Amino acid sequence: MKALERFWRVLATGFSFLVFGLGSLLFTLTVVPVSWLIRDELRSERFVKYMIHLCFRFFTGLMQKLGALTVEISHAERLASPGQLVIANHPTLIDVVFLVSFMPRADCVVKSSLLKNPLLSLPVKAARYITNDDPRAVIRAASDSFARGNTLIVFPEGTRTTPGEPMQLQRGAANIAIRTGHNLRPVIIDCAPPALGKNTPWYRVPERRMHMKFRVDEELDVSPYREGKPSVMSRQLTATIKDYFIRETAHHE
């Protein structure tokens, strides 16, 4: 019975990702062209972001309905206010999908390589997501995004956590917080048993169904880090973020 249930979760996960891929193609062929008809740039951006939000809600709901995983979120109401800087640890492939599904006006810092992906480049451009190729441009784009009422999602690690290795953080989140004056809204993500992690293929499902927990914490005040040299303060704030994630993910397990 356990083997059959595990086999079903492999099928459910594979089917969900197939739906995601086909949905991305359909999105590019339908939603993106509709957004081009909206003359107002801000309205067009918000339309695309909201449609991505709905699609991601459908995808995460599908995975739950099929029994691929279960989900638990605490203090979700803290994500309701627009214009926040959300930071999260990054244990699984689908972390950003869940986070965007929680917020209708979410912005993301994405790898510039996505602009070369024929399936995702047009949606990324239409949503006005921020590419990470130029750190100074990222900060300017983040400031503009906050001014448009978006909530920005940043993974300070820059990529998924490597199991068994020390957490390594980049300074992007700290730089954005210090230079734009936005506090940090941490989200602690846990997946138990571990699945969809770095160097783990999607079909290698764990022995029991994965359970994803999202805990939205109180804001971290960054005002003390805005009083010194930005490069030094950025390094110190990054260390603070790292200590916070290490401590809180340990408590979350």
Side-chain angles (χ1 to χ4, degrees), residues 193-207:
L196 299 177
K198 195 168 187 179
N199 303 322
T200 303
W202 65 265
Y203 52 82
R204 191 179 297 168
V205 301
E207 291 187 3

Side-chain angles (χ1 to χ4, degrees), residues 94-242:
I94 52 178
D95 298 331
V96 70
V97 178
F98 272 99
L99 291 176
V100 172
S101 77
F102 299 147
M103 293 173 282
R105 202 182 295 173
D107 210 343
C108 304
V109 177
V110 300
K111 295 179 180 179
S112 56
S113 59
L114 288 182
L115 297 179
K116 300 177 182 178
N117 186 312
L119 197 63
L120 300 176
S121 60
L122 288 178
V124 166
K125 291 177 182 178
R128 297 181 69 181
Y129 286 158
I130 302 169
T131 54
N132 66 353
D133 44 2
D134 182 352
R136 293 184 179 180
V138 167
I139 293 172
R140 289 195 299 269
S143 181
D144 291 342
S145 183
F146 290 136
R148 299 195 303 273
N150 297 322
T151 288
L152 180 60
I153 300 169
V154 179
F155 294 103
E157 293 172 89
T159 185
R160 277 176 286 169
T161 307
T162 302
E165 295 187 9
M167 181 180 285
Q168 300 293 329
L169 267 60
Q170 300 178 9
R171 297 185 190 177
N175 280 327
I176 293 172
I178 290 171
R179 295 181 184 275
T180 66
H182 277 72
N183 290 334
L184 298 166
R185 173 72 73 185
V187 178
I188 306 300
I189 305 174
D190 177 63
C191 179
L196 299 177
K198 195 168 187 179
N199 303 322
T200 303
W202 65 265
Y203 52 82
R204 191 179 297 168
V205 301
E207 291 187 3
R208 69 179 191 274
R209 184 165 50 177
M210 57 189 288
H211 180 63
M212 295 197 67
K213 292 182 181 179
F214 297 84
R215 192 189 76 208
V216 186
D217 285 356
E218 296 280 3
E219 283 189 338
L220 300 180
D221 182 14
V222 302
S223 57
Y225 299 90
R226 303 191 71 207
E227 298 174 359
K229 187 177 180 180
S231 59
V232 176
M233 293 296 101
S234 174
R235 184 166 58 249
Q236 292 182 5
L237 180 54
T238 299
T240 298
I241 296 170
K242 180 178 180 179

Side-chain angles (χ1 to χ4, degrees), residues 23-35 47:
S24 299
L25 177 60
L26 185 62
F27 192 98
T28 299
L29 296 175
T30 57
V31 175
V32 172
V34 170
S35 73
F47 167 72

Side-chain angles (χ1 to χ4, degrees), residues 71-93:
V71 179
E72 175 185 345
I73 180 169
S74 55
H75 305 296
E77 71 282 353
R78 292 173 176 168
L79 296 174
S81 300
Q84 299 189 72
L85 176 51
V86 173
I87 58 172
N89 60 309
H90 200 359
T92 83
L93 177 65

